[in-house]
Amino acid sequence: MASEDEVSLLVVVVDVNPIWWGQQAQREPEFTLSKCLDSVMVMGNSHLVMNRTNKLAIIASHCQESHFLYPSKHWKAGDAAGDDAVSSSRDGKYEVLAVTNDQISEEVRNLMARTEVKGHQTDTLLAGSLAKALCSGQEMKSRILVIKAAEDCALQYMNFMNVIFAAQKNSIVIDACVLATDSGLLQQACDITGGLYLKIPQKSALAQYLLWVFLPDANQRSQLVLPPPVHVDYRAACFCHRNLIEIGYVCSVCLSIFCNFSPICTTCETAFKIPLPQMVKPKKKKLKPAT
Amino acid sequence: MAASSEEVLLVVKKVRQKKQDGTLYLMAERIAWGPEGKDRFTVSHLYADIRCQKISPDGKAKIQLQLVLHTGESTTFHFANENSALRDRDAAKDLLQQLLPKFKKKANKELEEKNRMLQEDPVLFQLYKDLVVSQVISAEEFWANRLSMNSVNHSTSNNKQEVGISAAFLADIRPQTDGCNGLRYNLTSDIIESIFRTYPAVKQKYAENVPHNLTEKEFWTRFFQSHYFHRDRISTGLQDLFSECAKQDEKGLKSMVGQGVKNPLVDLQSLEDKALDEGYGTAATPSTSNSNRTVKENSNSAIIKRFNHHSAMVLAAGLHVEVVLQTSGWFSFHDLGDWYFPVGAIEYEDLQQEDGLKTVSLNLKKSDRYSHGPVPIQTQHYTTSQDIINSVILVQHEMANYKPCLTQVMSSTMASSAIVALSPGGVLMQAGTQQAINQMVPSEVQSELKHLYTAAGELLRHFWSCFPVNTPFLEEKVVKMRSNLERFQLTKLHPFQEKVQRQYFSTNLTGHLEEMLQTAYNKFHAWQTRRMMRKT
């Protein structure tokens, strides 16, 4: 049993990419960003209730910024005069949960309100959010849960890998709950840090999946029957076509990977001489004497 | 008869073997016996084959010598000369006693080597059992590669360890007063060896004079009496056996001084028994200014010189470096490597010449390639900017009035279908039912499989190393290896596979092994057909 004083932090990184969620609202009106945030809140509340010393942090991963929904910097404790505050405390909820939920909803509203449409920034800043999550979990035992909606962004690869290895070094587990397309980067993250990767078949049941699979922490998971780990594709991509290859050619100077041999490496312009196999000269056939 | 190049060490006439008279010849490498009157040897044994010799006890009437071979056979010689039988037999026995050990070592050494290798490496032992004992390949083939690899390594380790020299060995001699006005010096062989190793000049003198001119006792008496041994060693006027040694020592010291100090911090680590040669210099240079020295100064400097020389000789003997008689090349400073001693204590980088190490710099033309991850470029959803704007506005509208409604997060049907998916047997839990093979198969079977893999790997290595087939030797070997592989498959692989299939379910443990063997067979077949075609 974990000691009562041990603080356990759960950081939930929610992908709130407005472009994806807007399109999602058009595809499936019954599961929108509001429902997603509700599910996350349910899970957050459950985590706080599991143990008195549990802590929660929620980061919204937007395409313009990564923003802490909870704990919020702008909350003022004395702001109980607003209508919202009164209504939430009226239902007899545990006050910590009420405050938490209020903060989250307030921050999300503000975040979405200040969204500016910029055509070239359409990718979720997931690497940055993860980095913030890592920084917030420094002093205590922590784990990160990523709820991913939009597709992977290849440009964030380096930062992503650095974050993953930093998490591994600090024994921080990264779990992933994927709503739409499979994410190779998150599969790697979960594999390397020892977390759980799950692509859920029904988005509407998100809350159930979160509570069943992702609520127990790493120590308790060994005693539960949970979905088995996925097979991770660790193949490298060739630098010329970005195809995933199993066998390729690597330049010994700059370590760039190619799928076909070429005598000059296009990255560092080193020339390579490979000795060709000796050609066996065919023996001249002796003419048989006619008998 | 005997080969003309063979050296005959002893001939004994009138030696009977199997009730026939004849002559016994002891040669450099073998012992042979030929009957009387005939020219050829009927019995001939190499000393290497002889395990031991036996002689009949002294009281017996028949004087015999028996040779027991390694194979277990024995040959008996009866010395029948009336007068000198006993002497003959003893002469033969003595000579054999001297010769046999020399040859014995060579034969046994290989066997010992093989035994040692098998004992040290359990994997090798298992391989040996699998391949040679079950007659898949012959013992010579098995040892063919291995002995050559390891003999080089072990020849160095077989050298005797050299014993170092105590620096105080001379002082340890500690003369005792003899009652009357004499001194007793106790010399052990250790001390004598130390003296010889430290002062090779003395060893030379010993070799020259003992035992022709002086007995050993006299030599050492003179040694201790001579001023060479004494403290001051100034008066070299006396014609002494050892005055030459003194002069050689002076020369040696001067040459050491001339070569300078290479390693002022004595590298004590180099004194271990390693095979490396390390350069070494004397610690401090004694002042050798020749002008204006008083007698006292002279004697002081002489003592100091002798101490330095003594230390240098002791260390040099420990390092196997001839200091006096050779001008061996000293290692240059940088060869010693920076980690032997603190560089900062000895040299200043700024004051040295620049080491022009030419390096090649990495010149990346397209470094952004590295930052792109293994995410294949997929055909992206093409979103028009209008789409983007619409989506964002939609979301903003939605979230502007966001209020969490936690009691209606999901319907119960949704929840139960999710639970079903997550339960064992559900959609998401399929992969877990496949147990890992290593949990289903017991460990003995696993270890047997490992042995099979090692053995198969060894055979396949021999097979594949024959290609390209250039020489007739390789051709033979290829054919032999193919038959070996077949035999291995028959005798080892198939029974194992049958056993596994009988006891455990349809786990295919040997599929990969069979694949490897099949590839080898295919290659052999291809090579064979090509060879046939070339011949026609």
Side-chain angles (χ1 to χ4, degrees):
Chain A
M1 284 279 281
S3 74
E4 298 246 332
D5 299 333
E6 208 172 280
V7 175
S8 170
L9 170 68
L10 168 66
V11 184
V12 185
V13 177
V14 188
D15 182 357
V16 297
N17 190 331
I19 300 160
W20 191 89
W21 281 107
Q23 290 170 339
Q24 166 69 9
Q26 292 165 0
R27 286 191 291 257
E28 273 179 67
E30 63 273 6
F31 185 74
T32 59
L33 183 55
S34 327
K35 285 272 186 225
C36 176
L37 287 170
D38 285 348
S39 307
V40 170
M41 248 189 255
V42 165
M43 191 197 163
N45 290 348
S46 310
H47 175 77
L48 288 173
V49 165
M50 292 274 274
N51 194 325
R52 207 167 33 86
T53 55
N54 277 358
K55 284 197 161 51
L56 179 70
I58 302 191
I59 301 178
S61 191
H62 197 273
C63 38
Q64 292 164 323
E65 58 180 301
S66 305
H67 184 74
F68 270 91
L69 297 179
Y70 179 82
S72 152
K73 290 183 228 164
H74 307 298
W75 180 260
K76 292 181 199 85
D79 224 347
D83 278 335
D84 292 330
V86 173
S87 65
S88 55
S89 60
R90 224 194 281 156
D91 62 1
K93 201 185 298 198
Y94 177 33
E95 201 164 300
V96 170
L97 302 184
V99 166
T100 307
N101 294 349
D102 287 338
Q103 277 191 20
I104 295 172
S105 40
E106 170 97 17
E107 289 295 329
V108 150
R109 284 197 292 266
N110 295 341
L111 176 63
M112 285 306 171
R114 60 172 186 266
T115 305
E116 287 163 24
V117 182
K118 282 190 189 138
H120 56 274
Q121 280 173 354
T122 55
D123 288 313
T124 322
L125 298 176
L126 194 53
S129 312
L130 282 176
K132 282 199 179 178
L134 279 183
C135 293
S136 63
Q138 279 307 313
E139 309 85 38
M140 54 197 106
K141 187 163 97 67
S142 64
R143 63 187 172 105
I144 301 177
L145 167 63
V146 178
I147 298 180
K148 189 149 196 316
E151 292 88 24
D152 270 345
C153 170
L155 299 171
Q156 295 179 18
Y157 171 66
M158 277 298 205
N159 299 333
F160 215 100
M161 294 313 286
N162 286 337
V163 162
I164 294 172
F165 289 123
Q168 187 203 25
K169 269 276 159 58
N170 291 333
S171 323
I172 295 178
V173 169
I174 298 181
D175 300 316
C177 182
V178 173
L179 300 178
T181 44
D182 267 316
S183 159
L185 294 176
L186 277 178
Q187 280 178 352
Q188 282 192 41
C190 298
D191 194 44
I192 292 174
T193 56
L196 255 171
Y197 176 90
L198 186 65
K199 176 173 172 316
I200 58 178
Q202 299 147 314
K203 300 189 196 60
S204 323
L206 175 64
Q208 183 59 47
Y209 287 110
L210 289 179
L211 291 174
W212 184 284
V213 179
F214 295 105
L215 185 59
D217 65 20
N219 296 338
Q220 296 154 4
R221 281 180 201 170
S222 54
Q223 319 203 358
L224 301 170
V225 177
L226 293 173
V230 287
H231 172 76
V232 185
D233 189 354
Y234 276 115
R235 288 180 294 170
C238 70
F239 280 38
C240 32
H241 312 101
R242 291 285 146 203
N243 297 330
L244 295 174
I245 53 175
E246 278 155 17
I247 298 180
Y249 295 85
V250 179
C251 168
S252 51
V253 174
C254 62
L255 297 181
S256 40
I257 304 168
F258 299 102
C259 46
N260 283 322
F261 170 69
S262 82
I264 297 187
C265 167
T266 40
T267 316
C268 63
E269 301 194 344
T270 318
F272 288 102
K273 281 184 237 156
I274 294 201
L276 297 167
Q278 296 286 335
M279 296 295 294
V280 177
K281 292 199 187 108
K283 290 200 184 121
K284 288 193 188 139
K285 287 191 188 164
K286 287 191 186 143
L287 293 170
K288 279 191 191 155
T291 47
Chain B
M1 260 317 232
S4 52
S5 57
E6 270 190 295
E7 185 196 335
V8 179
L9 298 172
L10 183 65
V11 178
V12 184
K13 294 215 169 70
K14 298 230 180 125
V15 176
R16 290 170 70 95
Q17 201 257 351
K18 289 211 176 119
K19 307 228 161 103
Q20 252 192 320
D21 272 323
T23 322
L24 185 68
Y25 298 84
L26 277 92
M27 257 88 78
E29 285 189 15
R30 59 182 180 135
I31 181 171
W33 179 87
E36 193 83 38
K38 297 243 176 79
D39 262 347
R40 46 173 196 82
F41 294 137
T42 40
V43 177
S44 162
H45 298 299
L46 289 172
Y47 294 133
D49 292 336
I50 300 176
R51 195 170 58 176
C52 63
Q53 58 167 333
K54 294 187 192 166
I55 56 174
S56 53
D58 278 339
K60 273 214 163 163
K62 258 182 159 186
I63 297 176
Q64 289 180 318
L65 178 79
Q66 188 185 47
L67 299 172
V68 184
L69 304 180
H70 284 302
T71 52
E73 292 172 29
S74 61
T75 319
T76 316
F77 297 107
H78 174 202
F79 291 79
N81 192 331
E82 300 92 33
N83 307 326
S84 60
L86 192 60
R87 256 182 304 142
D88 288 339
R89 198 272 309 273
D90 287 340
K93 175 195 83 160
D94 287 335
L95 191 57
L96 274 175
Q97 242 175 0
Q98 286 176 21
L99 292 168
L100 281 181
K102 286 192 225 156
F103 291 88
K104 203 185 262 200
K105 262 195 240 162
K106 279 191 209 155
N108 279 352
K109 206 174 186 184
E110 269 191 48
L111 268 173
E112 259 182 48
E113 186 71 31
K114 287 181 190 172
N115 273 339
R116 200 183 44 80
M117 274 170 57
L118 284 180
Q119 272 170 13
E120 275 180 7
D121 189 0
V123 176
L124 191 67
F125 189 51
Q126 186 63 38
L127 201 59
Y128 186 79
K129 268 201 293 191
D130 280 341
L131 293 177
V132 178
V133 175
S134 58
Q135 307 220 335
V136 178
I137 63 175
S138 68
E140 294 98 50
E141 282 178 6
F142 181 79
W143 290 111
N145 274 355
R146 296 213 151 70
L147 275 183
S148 58
M149 274 195 310
N150 281 318
S151 60
V152 181
N153 290 343
H154 292 293
S155 57
T156 48
S157 67
N158 278 342
N159 287 342
K160 246 178 23 163
Q161 229 181 6
E162 299 267 350
V163 180
I165 304 178
S166 147
F169 66 86
L170 280 180
D172 279 341
I173 301 179
R174 250 183 257 129
Q176 303 155 336
T177 46
D178 205 356
C180 12
N181 213 7
L183 292 168
R184 254 182 99 78
Y185 287 90
N186 262 333
L187 271 184
T188 61
S189 55
D190 274 342
I191 296 179
I192 293 181
E193 200 195 319
S194 310
I195 295 179
F196 282 162
R197 277 170 72 182
T198 316
Y199 297 107
V202 175
K203 185 173 184 182
Q204 227 181 356
K205 287 284 172 188
Y206 182 85
E208 283 168 18
N209 292 315
V210 174
H212 331 284
N213 298 345
L214 307 164
T215 64
E216 205 169 330
K217 191 169 169 198
E218 282 175 34
F219 179 79
W220 290 114
T221 326
R222 294 261 214 123
F223 176 76
F224 287 119
Q225 281 176 347
S226 83
H227 282 282
Y228 181 74
F229 182 66
H230 279 228
R231 250 175 38 128
D232 294 335
R233 223 207 257 184
I234 296 182
S235 43
T236 51
L238 284 180
Q239 267 312 321
D240 197 347
L241 205 52
F242 297 97
S243 52
E244 248 185 68
C245 297
K247 289 201 189 100
Q248 268 184 331
D249 281 349
E250 284 276 339
K251 253 197 292 176
L253 198 58
K254 276 216 185 100
S255 73
M256 271 198 268
V257 166
Q259 276 153 357
V261 181
K262 290 299 176 213
N263 189 355
L265 310 172
V266 173
D267 184 13
L268 288 175
Q269 289 175 347
S270 70
L271 292 179
E272 292 170 27
D273 42 347
K274 290 187 282 199
L276 296 171
D277 279 333
E278 311 245 325
Y280 171 75
T282 51
T285 67
S287 67
T288 48
S289 63
N290 286 321
S291 55
N292 292 341
R293 284 148 109 235
T294 61
V295 173
K296 186 154 184 254
E297 274 179 14
N298 267 347
S299 69
N300 282 345
S301 71
I303 299 177
I304 293 173
K305 254 201 279 190
R306 284 200 51 210
F307 274 137
N308 291 336
H309 180 68
H310 178 83
S311 312
M313 298 291 265
V314 169
L315 279 171
L319 294 171
H320 316 290
V321 171
E322 282 266 358
V323 176
V324 177
L325 302 174
Q326 270 172 260
T327 50
S328 53
W330 297 94
F331 281 101
S332 77
F333 190 66
H334 292 288
D335 286 352
L336 289 172
D338 284 335
W339 55 268
Y340 273 126
F341 46 82
V343 175
I346 302 166
E347 45 171 25
Y348 287 102
E349 256 179 54
D350 317 350
L351 301 178
Q352 280 185 347
Q353 284 182 334
E354 295 239 329
D355 265 345
L357 273 178
K358 291 215 173 67
T359 50
V360 182
S361 57
L362 187 59
N363 179 18
L364 294 175
K365 291 278 181 271
K366 298 183 190 164
S367 55
D368 54 314
R369 281 176 168 184
Y370 292 100
S371 44
H372 196 292
V375 179
I377 295 184
Q378 295 152 333
T379 46
Q380 296 276 357
H381 250 27
Y382 182 65
T383 40
T384 63
S385 30
Q386 193 54 46
D387 278 340
I388 294 178
I389 297 174
N390 290 346
S391 312
V392 173
I393 291 177
L394 199 60
V395 168
Q396 279 178 325
H397 275 300
E398 182 198 333
M399 297 311 285
N401 304 318
Y402 170 61
K403 237 192 263 194
C405 184
L406 298 185
T407 52
Q408 285 166 13
V409 168
M410 61 180 166
S411 67
S412 51
T413 40
M414 285 274 100
S416 44
S417 65
I419 293 178
V420 165
L422 285 170
S423 311
V427 168
L428 297 170
M429 307 290 278
Q430 287 304 326
T433 50
Q434 280 174 12
Q435 262 185 311
I437 279 192
N438 67 353
Q439 286 169 358
M440 289 207 290
V441 169
S443 54
E444 302 93 46
V445 176
Q446 284 184 39
S447 60
E448 210 180 313
L449 186 65
K450 280 185 205 161
H451 291 148
L452 278 178
Y453 261 97
T454 326
E458 182 64 21
L459 290 175
L460 284 168
R461 184 172 67 84
H462 277 285
F463 176 82
W464 286 106
S465 65
C466 299
F467 290 94
V469 182
N470 295 331
T471 67
F473 167 72
L474 283 177
E475 278 185 32
E476 274 176 44
K477 188 167 179 204
V478 150
V479 174
K480 218 179 351 151
M481 286 319 298
R482 196 219 186 264
S483 58
N484 284 342
L485 284 172
E486 264 181 7
R487 217 172 342 159
F488 172 77
Q489 195 173 14
L490 267 171
T491 55
K492 295 256 155 161
L493 202 53
H494 282 168
F496 177 74
Q497 178 66 2
E498 276 161 28
K499 184 174 79 157
V500 166
Q501 271 174 346
R502 256 186 293 126
Q503 294 178 3
Y504 313 102
F505 328 117
S506 50
T507 48
N508 185 4
L509 292 176
T510 57
H512 178 239
L513 273 174
E514 308 232 328
E515 213 181 287
M516 289 200 288
L517 290 173
Q518 192 57 45
T519 322
Y521 296 151
N522 292 346
K523 173 79 181 177
F524 181 80
H525 183 69
W527 170 76
Q528 217 174 26
T529 35
R530 233 182 292 138
R531 194 163 69 129
M532 295 298 183
M533 281 176 50
R534 243 187 284 146
K535 279 188 180 165
T536 52

